[in-house]
Amino acid sequence: MRYAPADRPEAPGWHELVTAARSAAGRLVATDVARGAAAALPELRAALGRFPDPFAPGGGYRWDADRLAALAELHEVAGWILFDAGRYGPARRADRRALALAERCGDRWTERLVLLNRSMLMSHLGCPRAALEDAGRVAGARRLPALVDCLVLIRRAHAVAALGGEREAVRLVSRAESRFLDGASADDPPWAWWIDHDEVLGHRGWVMARLGRPDLAIPFLHRASTAPGPSYRRLFTAHLLAALARAGDWREAERLVDDLVPHVPGIGSARARETLGATATALLRGDGRPPAALREAAGRLRAALTTPARTGTDGRAEP
C-alpha cells in the first residue's frame, strides 16, 4: 500500500527487507510529493537495485507473504513515479511486477491500488476501454470504503469521458465527490491518505475539460491548482491553462502563463509538461485567435519547456 512519506532512512538487508522496502517506498513518495517524479527517478533506480528478485530462479531466500507484500508496495510506487515521469513502458512493467507480487501474497489492497494506477495510465495512453476494465477489477464482494470507491468512480469517469459518454461521465464524477463527502473510515487503506477534496475537485474539472466543457472545468481546476498539495498537482494547473485557452479567456490565460514560466524547470511531472507544451503550441499556432501578448507568453512557456526538469546532485529537483 502507498504509505505516507517517510522521514527516516533504514539500511537494507535480507533480514530487514520488509522494513527496508517500505522505508524506501516512503522516501520515494516523499520526494515525489515535494519535488515531482523527475526528481524521484535517480532515487528510484537505486532503490530497485537494492533488493533481490523474488522471480529469479534459486537464490535461497524464503519469500514469505510480508516480504512479497513489501516489494509489491515498492513496485507500486515505482509504477506511479515512472508513469508521472513519462516512462510509460517501464511504468507498465513495474505495474505488472507489483500486481504479480501482490497476487502471490494475497495483498488485495495493493493490487487494487495498482489497478487504479494502471487505469489512469491506460486512459493517458488513449486506451479507455482497458482503463475501464482495470477499474472494474477493483470491486469485491463487500462494498468498497468511501475513499477507494471515490477513486474507482474517478477512473471510470475519465475513461467514459474519453469514450464520449458525457451524461455517464458527469454522473460518475458527481458520485465520486458524493462518496468522498461520506468521509474516510477505518476500512480505507493507508495509501488513501492523499485523496482529499482538492484532488477530487481537480479530477472533476479535468473530466469536464475532457468533455469539452471548459466553462464548467475552470472553477474546479482553479481551486485544485491553487490549493496547497503535492507537487504532482501541477497537472491540474496545466489543464487549467488548457481550459482557459479553449474558453477564450485570454487575460486569465496570459496571467497564468506569466505565473508558470519561472516555475517550469521545477515541474517534475511529464504529464503536466506535455499538457503545457500542447497548449503553448496551440496558442502559438493561433487556435482561437489569441491576442499577440498571449502568443508571446506562449512562446516563453514553450521555450522554458524545452529544458528538462532540473535535478540536483542528490537526485532532487532544484527549487
Side-chain angles (χ1 to χ4, degrees):
M1 303 167 191
R2 186 181 298 171
Y3 282 78
D7 59 3
R8 182 169 64 92
E10 299 192 47
W14 173 251
H15 296 293
E16 302 164 328
L17 188 146
V18 173
T19 299
R22 287 179 173 156
S23 178
R27 292 195 302 274
L28 286 166
V29 171
T31 300
D32 176 54
V33 165
R35 299 176 182 267
L41 280 177
E43 188 177 341
L44 172 62
R45 296 187 188 103
L48 291 178
R50 293 163 68 194
F51 298 97
D53 182 358
F55 295 102
Y61 298 128
R62 183 175 67 84
W63 286 101
D64 59 21
D66 286 344
R67 288 167 176 158
L68 290 170
L71 285 187
E73 293 159 16
L74 178 59
H75 282 276
E76 177 275 315
V77 171
W80 156 255
I81 288 172
L82 289 163
F83 167 46
D84 203 38
R87 311 299 205 266
Y88 303 128
R92 295 179 72 173
R93 291 192 289 274
D95 285 345
R96 285 197 295 270
R97 175 61 64 95
L99 275 177
L101 288 164
E103 289 168 357
R104 187 167 163 182
C105 68
D107 186 348
R108 180 65 171 138
W109 281 118
T110 294
E111 182 183 352
R112 284 171 164 144
L113 179 55
V114 177
L115 288 168
L116 289 166
N117 288 350
R118 197 167 70 176
S119 177
M120 181 170 53
L121 172 59
M122 290 297 99
S123 285
H124 185 76
L125 294 178
C127 305
R129 296 191 187 280
L132 276 175
E133 181 180 345
D134 281 333
R137 291 175 58 191
V138 174
R142 298 174 59 186
R143 190 187 191 199
L144 294 170
L147 296 186
V148 179
D149 196 25
C150 168
L151 195 54
V152 172
L153 291 163
I154 285 170
R155 298 292 186 256
R156 289 175 58 197
H158 278 290
V160 169
L163 290 167
E166 179 172 356
R167 183 175 298 179
E168 177 67 3
V170 171
R171 185 184 71 83
L172 287 166
V173 80
S174 298
R175 278 183 58 203
E177 185 174 4
S178 177
R179 283 295 281 145
F180 172 82
L181 294 174
D182 285 342
S185 72
D187 293 329
D188 278 295
W191 54 253
W193 62 269
W194 52 272
I195 305 171
D196 62 16
H197 203 191
D198 293 320
E199 181 81 16
V200 175
L201 291 177
H203 281 284
R204 186 166 189 170
W206 187 2
V207 169
M208 293 300 105
R210 282 186 185 273
L211 294 171
R213 294 300 308 271
D215 55 322
L216 297 178
I218 287 168
F220 295 120
L221 290 169
H222 183 268
R223 169 165 167 176
S225 63
T226 55
S231 174
Y232 52 76
R233 288 190 187 162
R234 279 291 192 184
L235 183 62
F236 294 142
T237 308
H239 284 292
L240 173 61
L241 178 61
L244 290 168
R246 190 164 184 177
D249 192 339
W250 307 132
R251 179 172 297 182
E252 281 302 304
E254 183 182 351
R255 183 198 62 77
L256 183 55
V257 171
D258 287 341
D259 287 346
L260 269 171
V261 167
H263 302 287
V264 164
I267 297 177
S269 168
R271 294 180 298 152
R273 295 173 74 93
E274 289 168 6
T275 301
L276 289 171
T279 302
T281 297
L283 290 170
L284 285 166
R285 193 168 53 228
D287 292 3
R289 298 185 177 180
L294 179 54
R295 292 199 301 272
E296 291 171 5
R300 295 193 296 273
L301 175 58
R302 192 165 71 172
L305 288 164
T306 59
T307 302
R310 290 196 302 257
T311 57
T313 56
D314 63 350
R316 297 187 169 205
E318 296 172 2

